[in-house]
Amino acid sequence: MSDMETGKFITFEGIEGVGKSTNIRHLVNAIEKAGHAVVTTREPGGTPMAERIRELVAEHGDEPMPDIAELLLVFASRALHINNVIRPALAAGTWVICDRFTDSSRAYQGGGRGVPPENIDRLAEWVHGDLVPDLTILLDAPVETGMERAGRRSDPDRFESEQSDFFQRVRATYLKIAAEHPERFVVVDAARSLDAVKGEIEDIAAALLGKPYNQ
């Protein structure tokens, strides 16, 4: 299929508190204004069953969750999401904007938890094969900034309750992945004002849509 026949797959990544939800809305608005249909979704989750898995992964349960169980649950959710939402939407010519994808597994379960990268890559190959985002927008900010912003929200889930050193490892892994895949990643300084970040998201949208950048 040509690019005209399929939608684009765009993912947003970053630690907690970097403004993914807000900036996803900015990008979606720009793409919809250009006349493209857009599906906005998230991981873990995106389908009814996958959302139930998300609850299991995020909740403070009485039963300890081994790192490998967490990883397998995330990929089980991803398998549902890819087959029931992402691939059908892309095949129909719809753009898919996803809050987190496999790079999150590499950063959180890999960098944060210490799961060997080869184990994550093996699951990724099995679950989604050659499905790779056309663009990944990494919203990056110092851990202290993200944690302070996230703390203003509702009660923290199991991930948000992790300590600073966990998020330092996650952030470092994200930046390492971005440096290794410059053809796919755009790193946005999310520590700036909302207006400044919004302006850069609008520039990214213009590039995706083949329009001149803002001057």
Side-chain angles (χ1 to χ4, degrees), residues 74-143:
V74 168
F75 269 98
S77 170
R78 183 164 294 133
L80 289 161
H81 191 209
I82 289 166
N83 285 277
N84 297 338
V85 174
I86 296 175
R87 286 195 188 276
L90 293 173
T94 301
W95 291 40
V96 176
I97 313 297
C98 190
D99 183 343
R100 301 195 183 284
F101 193 59
T102 301
D103 293 311
S104 276
S105 297
R106 295 186 172 106
Y108 278 76
Q109 282 77 48
R113 303 287 190 215
V115 175
E118 57 270 23
N119 292 356
I120 299 172
D121 290 342
R122 191 174 301 120
L123 284 171
E125 174 62 28
W126 189 20
V127 169
H128 57 82
D130 62 355
L131 178 65
V132 177
D134 294 291
L135 173 69
T136 298
I137 299 171
L138 174 59
L139 297 174
D140 178 60
V143 169

Short mmCIF file of all heavy atoms in Angstrom, two decimals, residues 74-143:
data_model
loop_
_atom_site.label_atom_id
_atom_site.label_comp_id
_atom_site.label_asym_id
_atom_site.label_seq_id
_atom_site.Cartn_x
_atom_site.Cartn_y
_atom_site.Cartn_z
N VAL A 74 1.60 -6.17 30.12
CA VAL A 74 1.65 -5.02 29.20
C VAL A 74 1.61 -5.50 27.75
O VAL A 74 0.90 -4.93 26.91
CB VAL A 74 2.91 -4.17 29.47
CG1 VAL A 74 3.12 -3.17 28.35
CG2 VAL A 74 2.79 -3.46 30.82
N PHE A 75 2.34 -6.55 27.44
CA PHE A 75 2.35 -7.04 26.06
C PHE A 75 1.06 -7.78 25.70
O PHE A 75 0.65 -7.78 24.53
CB PHE A 75 3.57 -7.91 25.79
CG PHE A 75 4.74 -7.11 25.27
CD1 PHE A 75 5.74 -6.69 26.12
CD2 PHE A 75 4.82 -6.76 23.93
CE1 PHE A 75 6.82 -5.94 25.64
CE2 PHE A 75 5.88 -6.01 23.44
CZ PHE A 75 6.88 -5.60 24.30
N ALA A 76 0.40 -8.39 26.68
CA ALA A 76 -0.91 -8.99 26.41
C ALA A 76 -1.90 -7.89 26.04
O ALA A 76 -2.68 -8.01 25.08
CB ALA A 76 -1.40 -9.76 27.63
N SER A 77 -1.87 -6.80 26.79
CA SER A 77 -2.71 -5.64 26.48
C SER A 77 -2.38 -5.10 25.10
O SER A 77 -3.26 -4.78 24.29
CB SER A 77 -2.50 -4.56 27.54
OG SER A 77 -3.11 -3.34 27.17
N ARG A 78 -1.08 -5.04 24.78
CA ARG A 78 -0.64 -4.50 23.49
C ARG A 78 -1.11 -5.38 22.33
O ARG A 78 -1.50 -4.87 21.27
CB ARG A 78 0.89 -4.39 23.50
CG ARG A 78 1.49 -3.79 22.24
CD ARG A 78 2.93 -3.35 22.50
NE ARG A 78 2.96 -2.27 23.47
CZ ARG A 78 3.79 -2.21 24.52
NH1 ARG A 78 4.67 -3.17 24.73
NH2 ARG A 78 3.73 -1.19 25.36
N ALA A 79 -1.10 -6.69 22.50
CA ALA A 79 -1.56 -7.59 21.45
C ALA A 79 -3.03 -7.34 21.12
O ALA A 79 -3.42 -7.30 19.95
CB ALA A 79 -1.34 -9.04 21.87
N LEU A 80 -3.85 -7.17 22.15
CA LEU A 80 -5.26 -6.84 21.94
C LEU A 80 -5.40 -5.51 21.21
O LEU A 80 -6.18 -5.37 20.26
CB LEU A 80 -5.98 -6.76 23.29
CG LEU A 80 -6.20 -8.08 24.03
CD1 LEU A 80 -6.48 -7.79 25.49
CD2 LEU A 80 -7.36 -8.85 23.40
N HIS A 81 -4.65 -4.54 21.68
CA HIS A 81 -4.73 -3.18 21.15
C HIS A 81 -4.32 -3.12 19.68
O HIS A 81 -5.01 -2.50 18.84
CB HIS A 81 -3.80 -2.29 22.00
CG HIS A 81 -3.94 -0.85 21.77
ND1 HIS A 81 -2.89 0.03 21.94
CD2 HIS A 81 -4.99 -0.07 21.38
CE1 HIS A 81 -3.29 1.25 21.69
NE2 HIS A 81 -4.56 1.22 21.34
N ILE A 82 -3.23 -3.77 19.34
CA ILE A 82 -2.73 -3.74 17.97
C ILE A 82 -3.72 -4.40 17.01
O ILE A 82 -4.05 -3.86 15.95
CB ILE A 82 -1.36 -4.43 17.89
CG1 ILE A 82 -0.30 -3.56 18.55
CG2 ILE A 82 -0.98 -4.73 16.43
CD1 ILE A 82 1.01 -4.28 18.82
N ASN A 83 -4.18 -5.58 17.39
CA ASN A 83 -5.04 -6.34 16.49
C ASN A 83 -6.45 -5.79 16.39
O ASN A 83 -7.07 -5.89 15.33
CB ASN A 83 -5.08 -7.80 16.94
CG ASN A 83 -3.80 -8.55 16.58
OD1 ASN A 83 -3.64 -9.02 15.47
ND2 ASN A 83 -2.88 -8.62 17.53
N ASN A 84 -6.95 -5.19 17.45
CA ASN A 84 -8.35 -4.75 17.47
C ASN A 84 -8.55 -3.27 17.21
O ASN A 84 -9.66 -2.84 16.90
CB ASN A 84 -9.00 -5.13 18.80
CG ASN A 84 -9.03 -6.63 19.01
OD1 ASN A 84 -8.96 -7.39 18.05
ND2 ASN A 84 -9.13 -7.05 20.26
N VAL A 85 -7.48 -2.46 17.32
CA VAL A 85 -7.61 -1.02 17.12
C VAL A 85 -6.58 -0.48 16.12
O VAL A 85 -6.94 0.11 15.10
CB VAL A 85 -7.48 -0.24 18.46
CG1 VAL A 85 -7.48 1.27 18.22
CG2 VAL A 85 -8.62 -0.61 19.40
N ILE A 86 -5.31 -0.66 16.42
CA ILE A 86 -4.27 0.04 15.66
C ILE A 86 -4.18 -0.41 14.21
O ILE A 86 -4.29 0.41 13.29
CB ILE A 86 -2.90 -0.09 16.36
CG1 ILE A 86 -2.93 0.58 17.73
CG2 ILE A 86 -1.79 0.54 15.50
CD1 ILE A 86 -1.66 0.40 18.55
N ARG A 87 -4.00 -1.70 13.98
CA ARG A 87 -3.86 -2.17 12.60
C ARG A 87 -5.12 -1.90 11.76
O ARG A 87 -5.00 -1.43 10.61
CB ARG A 87 -3.50 -3.65 12.57
CG ARG A 87 -2.05 -3.94 12.96
CD ARG A 87 -1.64 -5.35 12.57
NE ARG A 87 -0.35 -5.75 13.06
CZ ARG A 87 0.81 -5.47 12.47
NH1 ARG A 87 0.82 -4.76 11.36
NH2 ARG A 87 1.96 -5.89 12.99
N PRO A 88 -6.33 -2.16 12.27
CA PRO A 88 -7.52 -1.86 11.47
C PRO A 88 -7.65 -0.38 11.13
O PRO A 88 -8.03 -0.03 10.01
CB PRO A 88 -8.68 -2.34 12.36
CG PRO A 88 -8.09 -3.38 13.23
CD PRO A 88 -6.69 -2.91 13.50
N ALA A 89 -7.33 0.50 12.07
CA ALA A 89 -7.43 1.94 11.82
C ALA A 89 -6.44 2.36 10.75
O ALA A 89 -6.79 3.09 9.81
CB ALA A 89 -7.20 2.72 13.10
N LEU A 90 -5.20 1.91 10.85
CA LEU A 90 -4.18 2.29 9.87
C LEU A 90 -4.56 1.77 8.48
O LEU A 90 -4.40 2.47 7.47
CB LEU A 90 -2.82 1.74 10.28
CG LEU A 90 -2.19 2.33 11.55
CD1 LEU A 90 -0.92 1.57 11.92
CD2 LEU A 90 -1.90 3.82 11.38
N ALA A 91 -5.08 0.55 8.41
CA ALA A 91 -5.47 -0.02 7.12
C ALA A 91 -6.61 0.75 6.48
O ALA A 91 -6.73 0.80 5.26
CB ALA A 91 -5.86 -1.49 7.31
N ALA A 92 -7.45 1.38 7.33
CA ALA A 92 -8.58 2.17 6.82
C ALA A 92 -8.18 3.59 6.45
O ALA A 92 -9.02 4.38 6.03
CB ALA A 92 -9.69 2.20 7.86
N GLY A 93 -6.89 3.93 6.61
CA GLY A 93 -6.43 5.27 6.27
C GLY A 93 -6.53 6.26 7.41
O GLY A 93 -6.32 7.46 7.22
N THR A 94 -6.85 5.79 8.61
CA THR A 94 -6.98 6.65 9.79
C THR A 94 -5.63 6.81 10.47
O THR A 94 -4.89 5.83 10.61
CB THR A 94 -8.00 6.05 10.77
OG1 THR A 94 -9.26 5.91 10.11
CG2 THR A 94 -8.16 6.92 12.01
N TRP A 95 -5.32 8.01 10.89
CA TRP A 95 -4.10 8.25 11.67
C TRP A 95 -4.35 7.76 13.10
O TRP A 95 -5.45 7.95 13.65
CB TRP A 95 -3.75 9.73 11.70
CG TRP A 95 -3.27 10.29 10.39
CD1 TRP A 95 -3.77 10.02 9.15
CD2 TRP A 95 -2.22 11.23 10.20
NE1 TRP A 95 -3.10 10.73 8.19
CE2 TRP A 95 -2.14 11.49 8.80
CE3 TRP A 95 -1.35 11.89 11.05
CZ2 TRP A 95 -1.22 12.38 8.25
CZ3 TRP A 95 -0.43 12.78 10.51
CH2 TRP A 95 -0.36 13.01 9.13
N VAL A 96 -3.34 7.16 13.70
CA VAL A 96 -3.43 6.68 15.08
C VAL A 96 -2.42 7.44 15.92
O VAL A 96 -1.22 7.41 15.64
CB VAL A 96 -3.16 5.16 15.17
CG1 VAL A 96 -3.18 4.70 16.63
CG2 VAL A 96 -4.21 4.39 14.36
N ILE A 97 -2.92 8.11 16.96
CA ILE A 97 -2.06 8.82 17.91
C ILE A 97 -2.17 8.08 19.23
O ILE A 97 -3.25 8.02 19.84
CB ILE A 97 -2.50 10.29 18.10
CG1 ILE A 97 -2.75 10.98 16.76
CG2 ILE A 97 -1.46 11.04 18.93
CD1 ILE A 97 -1.56 11.08 15.87
N CYS A 98 -1.06 7.52 19.68
CA CYS A 98 -1.10 6.64 20.85
C CYS A 98 -0.23 7.18 21.99
O CYS A 98 0.93 7.53 21.80
CB CYS A 98 -0.61 5.24 20.45
SG CYS A 98 -0.86 3.99 21.71
N ASP A 99 -0.83 7.25 23.15
CA ASP A 99 -0.14 7.62 24.38
C ASP A 99 0.58 6.38 24.90
O ASP A 99 -0.01 5.52 25.52
CB ASP A 99 -1.17 8.13 25.40
CG ASP A 99 -0.57 8.61 26.70
OD1 ASP A 99 0.61 8.28 26.97
OD2 ASP A 99 -1.27 9.29 27.46
N ARG A 100 1.87 6.25 24.56
CA ARG A 100 2.77 5.16 24.90
C ARG A 100 2.63 3.99 23.94
O ARG A 100 1.55 3.69 23.43
CB ARG A 100 2.58 4.67 26.34
CG ARG A 100 2.79 5.73 27.41
CD ARG A 100 2.96 5.09 28.78
NE ARG A 100 3.10 6.07 29.84
CZ ARG A 100 4.21 6.77 30.08
NH1 ARG A 100 5.27 6.61 29.31
NH2 ARG A 100 4.26 7.65 31.07
N PHE A 101 3.78 3.32 23.71
CA PHE A 101 3.81 2.09 22.94
C PHE A 101 5.02 1.28 23.45
O PHE A 101 5.39 1.41 24.62
CB PHE A 101 3.88 2.40 21.43
CG PHE A 101 3.60 1.22 20.53
CD1 PHE A 101 2.40 0.53 20.60
CD2 PHE A 101 4.56 0.79 19.61
CE1 PHE A 101 2.14 -0.56 19.78
CE2 PHE A 101 4.31 -0.29 18.78
CZ PHE A 101 3.10 -0.96 18.86
N THR A 102 5.65 0.49 22.61
CA THR A 102 6.69 -0.42 23.09
C THR A 102 7.90 0.31 23.66
O THR A 102 8.61 -0.25 24.51
CB THR A 102 7.10 -1.37 21.95
OG1 THR A 102 5.92 -2.10 21.54
CG2 THR A 102 8.14 -2.37 22.40
N ASP A 103 8.15 1.54 23.24
CA ASP A 103 9.25 2.29 23.86
C ASP A 103 9.04 2.47 25.35
O ASP A 103 10.01 2.55 26.12
CB ASP A 103 9.42 3.65 23.18
CG ASP A 103 9.90 3.51 21.74
OD1 ASP A 103 10.88 2.78 21.51
OD2 ASP A 103 9.28 4.11 20.84
N SER A 104 7.78 2.52 25.78
CA SER A 104 7.50 2.60 27.22
C SER A 104 7.94 1.32 27.92
O SER A 104 8.46 1.37 29.05
CB SER A 104 6.00 2.82 27.46
OG SER A 104 5.67 4.18 27.39
N SER A 105 7.73 0.18 27.28
CA SER A 105 8.17 -1.08 27.88
C SER A 105 9.69 -1.09 28.01
O SER A 105 10.25 -1.55 29.02
CB SER A 105 7.71 -2.26 27.03
OG SER A 105 6.31 -2.34 26.99
N ARG A 106 10.36 -0.59 26.98
CA ARG A 106 11.83 -0.54 27.03
C ARG A 106 12.32 0.40 28.13
O ARG A 106 13.33 0.14 28.78
CB ARG A 106 12.37 -0.12 25.67
CG ARG A 106 12.08 -1.14 24.57
CD ARG A 106 12.74 -0.78 23.25
NE ARG A 106 12.60 -1.87 22.28
CZ ARG A 106 11.76 -1.84 21.24
NH1 ARG A 106 11.01 -0.77 21.02
NH2 ARG A 106 11.68 -2.88 20.42
N ALA A 107 11.60 1.50 28.33
CA ALA A 107 12.02 2.49 29.33
C ALA A 107 11.62 2.08 30.74
O ALA A 107 12.44 2.15 31.67
CB ALA A 107 11.43 3.86 28.99
N TYR A 108 10.36 1.66 30.91
CA TYR A 108 9.86 1.37 32.26
C TYR A 108 10.25 -0.03 32.74
O TYR A 108 10.84 -0.19 33.81
CB TYR A 108 8.34 1.53 32.30
CG TYR A 108 7.90 2.97 32.49
CD1 TYR A 108 7.94 3.87 31.43
CD2 TYR A 108 7.45 3.44 33.72
CE1 TYR A 108 7.55 5.19 31.59
CE2 TYR A 108 7.06 4.76 33.90
CZ TYR A 108 7.11 5.63 32.82
OH TYR A 108 6.73 6.95 32.99
N GLN A 109 9.90 -1.05 31.96
CA GLN A 109 10.25 -2.41 32.39
C GLN A 109 11.74 -2.70 32.15
O GLN A 109 12.36 -3.40 32.94
CB GLN A 109 9.38 -3.45 31.66
CG GLN A 109 7.97 -3.56 32.22
CD GLN A 109 7.06 -2.44 31.78
OE1 GLN A 109 7.00 -2.10 30.60
NE2 GLN A 109 6.32 -1.85 32.73
N GLY A 110 12.30 -2.14 31.07
CA GLY A 110 13.72 -2.34 30.80
C GLY A 110 14.60 -1.47 31.66
O GLY A 110 15.31 -1.94 32.55
N GLY A 111 14.55 -0.15 31.42
CA GLY A 111 15.39 0.77 32.19
C GLY A 111 15.02 0.83 33.65
O GLY A 111 15.89 0.79 34.53
N GLY A 112 13.72 0.96 33.93
CA GLY A 112 13.27 1.12 35.31
C GLY A 112 13.39 -0.14 36.14
O GLY A 112 13.93 -0.13 37.25
N ARG A 113 12.87 -1.26 35.60
CA ARG A 113 12.84 -2.52 36.36
C ARG A 113 14.08 -3.38 36.17
O ARG A 113 14.36 -4.26 36.97
CB ARG A 113 11.63 -3.35 35.94
CG ARG A 113 10.29 -2.66 36.07
CD ARG A 113 9.85 -2.54 37.49
NE ARG A 113 8.45 -2.09 37.57
CZ ARG A 113 7.98 -1.28 38.50
NH1 ARG A 113 8.79 -0.83 39.45
NH2 ARG A 113 6.72 -0.90 38.52
N GLY A 114 14.78 -3.17 35.06
CA GLY A 114 15.97 -3.96 34.82
C GLY A 114 15.73 -5.25 34.04
O GLY A 114 16.58 -6.14 34.02
N VAL A 115 14.57 -5.36 33.37
CA VAL A 115 14.33 -6.51 32.51
C VAL A 115 15.29 -6.45 31.34
O VAL A 115 15.46 -5.40 30.72
CB VAL A 115 12.86 -6.52 32.00
CG1 VAL A 115 12.65 -7.65 30.99
CG2 VAL A 115 11.89 -6.65 33.16
N PRO A 116 15.96 -7.55 31.00
CA PRO A 116 16.93 -7.53 29.89
C PRO A 116 16.30 -7.06 28.58
O PRO A 116 15.20 -7.50 28.23
CB PRO A 116 17.39 -8.99 29.79
CG PRO A 116 17.19 -9.55 31.16
CD PRO A 116 15.95 -8.87 31.68
N PRO A 117 16.96 -6.15 27.86
CA PRO A 117 16.40 -5.62 26.62
C PRO A 117 16.04 -6.70 25.61
O PRO A 117 15.06 -6.58 24.87
CB PRO A 117 17.50 -4.70 26.09
CG PRO A 117 18.31 -4.34 27.28
CD PRO A 117 18.25 -5.51 28.20
N GLU A 118 16.85 -7.78 25.56
CA GLU A 118 16.59 -8.83 24.57
C GLU A 118 15.25 -9.53 24.83
O GLU A 118 14.59 -9.99 23.89
CB GLU A 118 17.72 -9.85 24.53
CG GLU A 118 18.04 -10.53 25.84
CD GLU A 118 19.09 -9.81 26.67
OE1 GLU A 118 19.28 -8.59 26.48
OE2 GLU A 118 19.72 -10.49 27.51
N ASN A 119 14.83 -9.60 26.09
CA ASN A 119 13.53 -10.20 26.40
C ASN A 119 12.39 -9.33 25.88
O ASN A 119 11.39 -9.83 25.35
CB ASN A 119 13.38 -10.39 27.91
CG ASN A 119 14.31 -11.44 28.46
OD1 ASN A 119 15.04 -12.09 27.70
ND2 ASN A 119 14.33 -11.62 29.77
N ILE A 120 12.55 -8.01 26.04
CA ILE A 120 11.53 -7.08 25.54
C ILE A 120 11.50 -7.10 24.02
O ILE A 120 10.41 -7.13 23.41
CB ILE A 120 11.81 -5.66 26.07
CG1 ILE A 120 11.76 -5.66 27.60
CG2 ILE A 120 10.81 -4.66 25.49
CD1 ILE A 120 12.19 -4.37 28.24
N ASP A 121 12.67 -7.13 23.39
CA ASP A 121 12.72 -7.16 21.92
C ASP A 121 12.09 -8.44 21.38
O ASP A 121 11.43 -8.41 20.32
CB ASP A 121 14.17 -7.06 21.44
CG ASP A 121 14.77 -5.68 21.67
OD1 ASP A 121 13.99 -4.72 21.88
OD2 ASP A 121 16.01 -5.56 21.66
N ARG A 122 12.27 -9.54 22.07
CA ARG A 122 11.68 -10.81 21.63
C ARG A 122 10.16 -10.73 21.66
O ARG A 122 9.47 -11.17 20.73
CB ARG A 122 12.18 -11.95 22.51
CG ARG A 122 11.87 -13.34 21.99
CD ARG A 122 12.51 -14.41 22.85
NE ARG A 122 13.96 -14.27 22.89
CZ ARG A 122 14.66 -14.07 24.00
NH1 ARG A 122 14.06 -13.93 25.17
NH2 ARG A 122 15.97 -13.97 23.96
N LEU A 123 9.63 -10.18 22.73
CA LEU A 123 8.17 -10.01 22.83
C LEU A 123 7.65 -9.04 21.77
O LEU A 123 6.60 -9.27 21.17
CB LEU A 123 7.80 -9.53 24.23
CG LEU A 123 7.82 -10.57 25.34
CD1 LEU A 123 7.65 -9.89 26.70
CD2 LEU A 123 6.73 -11.61 25.13
N ALA A 124 8.39 -7.95 21.55
CA ALA A 124 7.98 -6.97 20.55
C ALA A 124 7.90 -7.60 19.16
O ALA A 124 6.94 -7.37 18.41
CB ALA A 124 8.94 -5.78 20.54
N GLU A 125 8.89 -8.41 18.82
CA GLU A 125 8.89 -9.08 17.52
C GLU A 125 7.70 -10.03 17.41
O GLU A 125 7.05 -10.11 16.35
CB GLU A 125 10.21 -9.85 17.34
CG GLU A 125 10.27 -10.70 16.09
CD GLU A 125 10.17 -9.89 14.81
OE1 GLU A 125 10.55 -8.70 14.81
OE2 GLU A 125 9.68 -10.46 13.81
N TRP A 126 7.40 -10.70 18.47
CA TRP A 126 6.30 -11.67 18.47
C TRP A 126 4.95 -10.96 18.38
O TRP A 126 4.07 -11.34 17.63
CB TRP A 126 6.39 -12.52 19.74
CG TRP A 126 5.45 -13.69 19.78
CD1 TRP A 126 4.81 -14.29 18.74
CD2 TRP A 126 5.07 -14.40 20.96
NE1 TRP A 126 4.05 -15.34 19.18
CE2 TRP A 126 4.19 -15.43 20.55
CE3 TRP A 126 5.38 -14.29 22.31
CZ2 TRP A 126 3.61 -16.33 21.45
CZ3 TRP A 126 4.81 -15.19 23.21
CH2 TRP A 126 3.93 -16.20 22.78
N VAL A 127 4.79 -9.89 19.17
CA VAL A 127 3.48 -9.24 19.29
C VAL A 127 3.18 -8.31 18.12
O VAL A 127 2.04 -8.25 17.64
CB VAL A 127 3.39 -8.48 20.64
CG1 VAL A 127 2.17 -7.59 20.69
CG2 VAL A 127 3.36 -9.49 21.79
N HIS A 128 4.17 -7.54 17.64
CA HIS A 128 3.82 -6.60 16.57
C HIS A 128 4.78 -6.59 15.38
O HIS A 128 4.56 -5.84 14.42
CB HIS A 128 3.61 -5.18 17.10
CG HIS A 128 4.75 -4.58 17.85
ND1 HIS A 128 5.83 -3.98 17.23
CD2 HIS A 128 4.96 -4.45 19.18
CE1 HIS A 128 6.65 -3.51 18.16
NE2 HIS A 128 6.16 -3.77 19.34
N GLY A 129 5.81 -7.41 15.40
CA GLY A 129 6.63 -7.58 14.21
C GLY A 129 7.13 -6.28 13.62
O GLY A 129 7.84 -5.52 14.27
N ASP A 130 6.72 -6.01 12.37
CA ASP A 130 7.24 -4.83 11.66
C ASP A 130 6.42 -3.57 11.91
O ASP A 130 6.68 -2.54 11.28
CB ASP A 130 7.31 -5.11 10.16
CG ASP A 130 5.94 -5.40 9.55
OD1 ASP A 130 4.96 -5.47 10.31
OD2 ASP A 130 5.86 -5.56 8.32
N LEU A 131 5.45 -3.62 12.81
CA LEU A 131 4.68 -2.41 13.13
C LEU A 131 5.52 -1.50 14.02
O LEU A 131 5.76 -1.80 15.20
CB LEU A 131 3.36 -2.75 13.82
CG LEU A 131 2.51 -1.54 14.25
CD1 LEU A 131 2.03 -0.75 13.03
CD2 LEU A 131 1.32 -1.98 15.10
N VAL A 132 5.97 -0.39 13.46
CA VAL A 132 6.80 0.58 14.18
C VAL A 132 6.18 1.96 13.96
O VAL A 132 5.72 2.25 12.85
CB VAL A 132 8.25 0.57 13.65
CG1 VAL A 132 9.10 1.63 14.35
CG2 VAL A 132 8.86 -0.80 13.84
N PRO A 133 6.16 2.81 14.98
CA PRO A 133 5.60 4.16 14.76
C PRO A 133 6.31 4.90 13.64
O PRO A 133 7.53 4.78 13.46
CB PRO A 133 5.83 4.85 16.12
CG PRO A 133 5.90 3.73 17.11
CD PRO A 133 6.56 2.60 16.39
N ASP A 134 5.54 5.68 12.87
CA ASP A 134 6.13 6.56 11.87
C ASP A 134 6.89 7.69 12.54
O ASP A 134 7.88 8.20 12.01
CB ASP A 134 5.04 7.15 10.97
CG ASP A 134 4.35 6.08 10.14
OD1 ASP A 134 5.00 5.54 9.23
OD2 ASP A 134 3.18 5.78 10.40
N LEU A 135 6.42 8.09 13.71
CA LEU A 135 7.05 9.17 14.48
C LEU A 135 6.78 8.94 15.95
O LEU A 135 5.67 8.56 16.34
CB LEU A 135 6.47 10.53 14.07
CG LEU A 135 6.92 11.74 14.91
CD1 LEU A 135 8.40 12.04 14.66
CD2 LEU A 135 6.07 12.96 14.60
N THR A 136 7.81 9.15 16.77
CA THR A 136 7.65 9.10 18.23
C THR A 136 8.08 10.45 18.80
O THR A 136 9.21 10.89 18.55
CB THR A 136 8.48 7.97 18.85
OG1 THR A 136 8.01 6.71 18.35
CG2 THR A 136 8.36 7.99 20.37
N ILE A 137 7.18 11.08 19.52
CA ILE A 137 7.46 12.37 20.15
C ILE A 137 7.77 12.11 21.62
O ILE A 137 6.90 11.68 22.38
CB ILE A 137 6.27 13.33 20.00
CG1 ILE A 137 5.99 13.60 18.52
CG2 ILE A 137 6.54 14.65 20.76
CD1 ILE A 137 4.70 14.37 18.25
N LEU A 138 9.02 12.33 22.00
CA LEU A 138 9.43 12.14 23.39
C LEU A 138 9.38 13.49 24.09
O LEU A 138 10.15 14.40 23.79
CB LEU A 138 10.84 11.56 23.45
CG LEU A 138 11.47 11.46 24.84
CD1 LEU A 138 10.64 10.59 25.77
CD2 LEU A 138 12.91 10.92 24.74
N LEU A 139 8.43 13.63 25.00
CA LEU A 139 8.34 14.83 25.83
C LEU A 139 9.27 14.63 27.02
O LEU A 139 9.02 13.78 27.88
CB LEU A 139 6.89 15.05 26.29
CG LEU A 139 5.88 15.29 25.17
CD1 LEU A 139 4.47 15.35 25.73
CD2 LEU A 139 6.18 16.57 24.41
N ASP A 140 10.33 15.40 27.06
CA ASP A 140 11.38 15.19 28.05
C ASP A 140 11.44 16.35 29.04
O ASP A 140 11.38 17.52 28.66
CB ASP A 140 12.73 15.04 27.36
CG ASP A 140 13.86 14.86 28.36
OD1 ASP A 140 13.81 13.87 29.12
OD2 ASP A 140 14.77 15.71 28.40
N ALA A 141 11.56 16.00 30.31
CA ALA A 141 11.73 17.01 31.37
C ALA A 141 12.50 16.36 32.50
O ALA A 141 12.48 15.13 32.66
CB ALA A 141 10.37 17.51 31.86
N PRO A 142 13.20 17.15 33.33
CA PRO A 142 13.85 16.59 34.50
C PRO A 142 12.85 15.84 35.37
O PRO A 142 11.68 16.20 35.45
CB PRO A 142 14.41 17.82 35.21
CG PRO A 142 14.58 18.84 34.13
CD PRO A 142 13.44 18.60 33.19
N VAL A 143 13.33 14.79 36.02
CA VAL A 143 12.44 13.97 36.85
C VAL A 143 11.75 14.81 37.92
O VAL A 143 10.56 14.63 38.19
CB VAL A 143 13.25 12.81 37.48
CG1 VAL A 143 12.43 12.10 38.55
CG2 VAL A 143 13.69 11.84 36.40
#
